[in-house]
Amino acid sequence: MPNWTQPFKNLLNIFLQSNCPFCQRPTTREICLDCGRQLQQCHLKNPKALWKQPLPVFAWGKYDGMLKQAIAAMKYDNHPEIARVLGQYLGQAWLSHPPEDNSQPIVVPIPLHKTKLKERGYNQAALIAENFCLVTGLQLKPQGLQRNRQTTAQFSLSAQERQQNLTDAFSLGSGFRRLPKSPILLVDDIYTTGATAKSAIATLEKSGIQVCGLAAVARTAQGRGPRIY
Ligand SMILES: [Zn+2]
């Protein structure tokens, strides 16, 4: 009697394989092993180096090289699977370097405006937050915040213009009909000047909701604090 198991497994592997978004080689993972290793080199030794007032920031990696490329592919080249991988990395870093004041925060992703969401098809910060929560076991509130208006691309603006650009950019989402008992941890893909996070925090605090900090996949060299990576 022929053994059908192996041919079936081979066939299944063909269906489960996809191409690595960076090198295009076939892989059964979201990112192939080689590219995953290169991406891991962007990991900061101390992700909580900026975990201090007034805006505690927890960041997985340095916004440069392979990580910069990964974030661009995730946002502008239709690769939501990269957000899942980065969310898992961020979650693993959180578990291995937990902030001392960590009191099981509730996770809220920075939302996209609905026009942008429709255009992109997914919110990368929401996918990062979802996978961050799968790894850490923290509670996720995907509808904690709502983005009121489309803002100009932040990278083209000065720090002062960014703040202006983000004033009243958010409102409280449907996820908070009741005030949460734990503080909020915001999740975003990149931390640059903190203007987006500050605007989101102002919206939550106005409603009496406490925010303990921001967890971001990457931070730029312009981020606050010493430039130690
Ligand atoms: Zn690859």
Side-chain angles (χ1 to χ4, degrees):
M1 196 173 152
N3 176 6
W4 292 104
T5 318
Q6 197 53 45
F8 179 70
K9 275 188 183 162
N10 289 344
L11 191 68
L12 200 65
N13 275 339
I14 290 168
F15 283 118
L16 291 176
Q17 274 194 356
S18 58
N19 291 333
C20 170
F22 301 105
C23 65
Q24 311 309 323
R25 282 182 294 193
T27 175
T28 50
R29 299 157 180 259
E30 274 107 347
I31 297 174
C32 82
L33 273 177
D34 279 352
C35 293
R37 254 182 236 125
Q38 279 187 58
L39 195 53
Q40 282 289 347
Q41 287 174 10
C42 304
H43 185 13
L44 292 163
K45 283 198 184 74
N46 182 10
K48 52 179 187 178
L50 296 183
W51 190 262
K52 48 196 161 206
Q53 296 299 336
L55 172 57
V57 176
F58 185 93
W60 177 81
K62 180 185 171 187
Y63 183 63
D64 201 4
M66 186 80 170
L67 184 55
K68 197 171 175 179
Q69 201 186 322
I71 288 176
M74 167 180 83
K75 288 166 85 164
Y76 309 115
D77 205 15
N78 193 27
H79 282 296
E81 75 278 23
I82 296 175
R84 289 194 280 272
V85 174
L86 295 176
Q88 288 163 21
Y89 287 176
L90 186 61
Q92 284 152 7
W94 181 270
L95 290 180
S96 52
H97 300 82
E100 290 78 16
D101 56 352
N102 173 16
S103 53
Q104 299 292 298
I106 296 170
V107 174
V108 173
I110 296 288
L112 284 183
H113 186 264
K114 58 183 179 197
T115 313
K116 181 72 90 180
L117 184 62
K118 209 172 167 189
E119 194 182 296
R120 188 168 295 161
Y122 54 91
N123 173 9
Q124 72 283 352
L127 293 177
I128 290 166
E130 195 182 304
N131 285 272
F132 174 82
C133 289
L134 282 176
V135 172
T136 58
L138 293 176
Q139 194 192 335
L140 177 68
K141 275 277 179 207
Q143 314 297 335
L145 281 167
Q146 183 184 306
R147 198 148 194 156
N148 295 333
R149 57 186 169 83
Q150 180 87 302
T151 41
T152 315
Q154 288 287 91
F155 61 83
S156 62
L157 306 173
S158 70
Q160 200 185 354
E161 286 168 333
R162 282 177 193 217
Q163 196 55 57
Q164 189 59 41
N165 188 36
L166 286 162
T167 304
D168 296 327
F170 300 98
S171 60
L172 204 61
S174 57
F176 287 130
R177 293 217 168 88
R178 277 191 201 166
L179 289 189
K181 291 194 175 79
S182 303
I184 302 306
L185 176 69
L186 295 169
V187 167
D188 207 358
D189 50 356
I190 312 173
Y191 168 72
T192 310
T193 61
T196 310
K198 279 180 208 154
S199 178
I201 291 169
T203 300
L204 290 166
E205 286 183 343
K206 223 165 28 183
S207 308
I209 300 173
Q210 199 197 333
V211 179
C212 66
L214 166 79
V217 165
R219 74 172 167 91
T220 62
Q222 290 82 42
R224 289 180 306 119
R227 291 186 184 188
I228 300 166
Y229 299 102

